[in-house]
Amino acid sequence: AHSQHTHIHTHRSLPFELVARVWDQFLVEGDPVMFQVSMGILAYFQDQIENGNLDQCMALLSSSSNPLLQSIQVDKFWDVVSKLHLSRTRIEEVMRLVKSDLEHKALQAKRVAQAKAQALAALNAQKQREKEQREKEKEIEREIEKE
């Protein structure tokens, strides 16, 4: 059991105290907290992101077992987040705008797909009519040859 416990703690991505506080706030405030935390991580590591090469940035942002993420100082992190001035109201407004934009794009994509399907159906119908016309013409030619 001890090895499982050690395994769990060596692979967490953020310090336990920070995760606990994030969960507390998430349960009270909902989704906007996750946006605040995400922006807070970017702001907390702004210098490393701005001054690092692509590989360093990708390692920082994509690895959940990155020692830098695990070494975040919780009080400093929340100071950084508070300095971002990301109010719940503003985040919810942005989330609504993003949702609306995504719904609009999905509707446009659906309309484009429907238009493509209609055009394809019309093309197939035209091809079928042309095929039937050719068959009628061949039938007429055969009848003429019989006479």
Side-chain angles (χ1 to χ4, degrees):
H2 183 310
S3 64
Q4 287 178 330
H5 181 72
T6 303
H7 177 77
I8 290 170
H9 286 286
T10 59
H11 286 88
R12 69 174 186 252
S13 57
L14 297 170
F16 178 78
E17 182 183 351
L18 179 57
V19 172
R21 286 178 65 180
V22 168
W23 271 109
D24 285 347
Q25 287 192 326
F26 175 73
L27 293 173
V28 172
E29 298 179 31
D31 291 337
V33 170
M34 295 305 176
F35 182 80
Q36 287 175 313
V37 170
S38 299
M39 294 298 100
I41 290 171
L42 292 175
Y44 190 91
F45 292 109
Q46 183 174 353
D47 290 339
Q48 288 93 327
I49 293 169
E50 287 178 349
N51 298 317
N53 63 35
L54 178 61
D55 291 336
Q56 292 167 329
C57 292
M58 292 303 294
L60 171 66
L61 298 174
S62 64
S63 176
S64 63
S65 60
N66 188 313
L68 282 175
L69 291 177
Q70 295 173 8
S71 67
I72 290 176
Q73 297 172 3
V74 176
D75 291 334
K76 180 181 174 187
F77 177 81
W78 290 115
D79 286 343
V80 168
V81 170
S82 70
K83 289 177 184 172
L84 293 174
H85 304 290
L86 298 170
S87 71
R88 176 187 172 113
T89 304
R90 178 66 182 137
I91 293 169
E92 288 175 342
E93 177 184 327
V94 169
M95 289 172 70
R96 276 191 303 278
L97 290 172
V98 169
K99 181 180 179 186
S100 174
D101 187 51
L102 290 173
E103 288 170 348
H104 178 71
K105 287 179 180 177
L107 183 59
Q108 282 181 321
K110 183 178 178 181
R111 287 179 180 156
V112 167
Q114 288 173 338
K116 285 180 179 179
Q118 289 172 347
L120 186 58
L123 182 61
N124 287 335
Q126 178 64 32
K127 286 181 180 180
Q128 183 63 32
R129 285 191 298 273
E130 289 172 0
K131 181 181 174 185
E132 290 170 0
Q133 182 64 33
R134 284 191 304 272
E135 289 173 1
K136 285 180 184 177
E137 289 171 1
K138 286 180 183 177
E139 181 74 28
I140 293 171
E141 286 176 11
R142 283 193 292 271
E143 287 181 16
I144 291 174
E145 288 174 2
K146 288 180 183 177
E147 295 177 357

